[in-house]
Amino acid sequence: MPGTPHPPTDPVSDVVRWGAFSCALVPLVLLVCGSSPVGAIGTALGLAAVTCACRALLRQSERTAARLAVERASVHRGRHGRTGLGAHRGGRHGGGRTPGD
């Protein structure tokens, strides 16, 4: 239906799906081209390992990005996050006295 809204896509899931597709397609192409079955299985296992590692790294980066977004949205400035001017802001203190006084 043209009026049916599509659910939001998850880019990580798309990458993992393409990785799984390549894990199946590449060994098949190697077999058709005359490679040994052991070599094709080894290639499939290697691609599967890389796909799993990429998925884990992508999920970790998503969690980190979400955590940083929440921290940036937070208004809490912390214990020492004072605003305004005061004597504790650094620099020289006035008072008209010099070290030689």
Side-chain angles (χ1 to χ4, degrees), residues 39-63:
I41 290 171
T43 301
L45 291 175
L47 287 172
V50 169
T51 301
C52 289
C54 288
R55 179 184 181 275
L57 290 171
L58 285 168
R59 291 289 182 197
Q60 178 64 33
S61 78
E62 278 186 334
R63 284 191 297 268

Side-chain angles (χ1 to χ4, degrees), residues 10-23 50-56 58-59:
D10 182 17
V12 174
S13 295
D14 291 343
V15 169
V16 171
R17 258 188 252 122
W18 278 106
F21 176 71
S22 71
C23 288
V50 169
T51 301
C52 289
C54 288
R55 179 184 181 275
L58 285 168
R59 291 289 182 197

Side-chain angles (χ1 to χ4, degrees), residues 25-45:
L25 183 64
V26 170
L28 180 65
V29 170
L30 287 174
L31 287 174
V32 169
C33 291
S35 180
S36 71
V38 174
I41 290 171
T43 301
L45 291 175

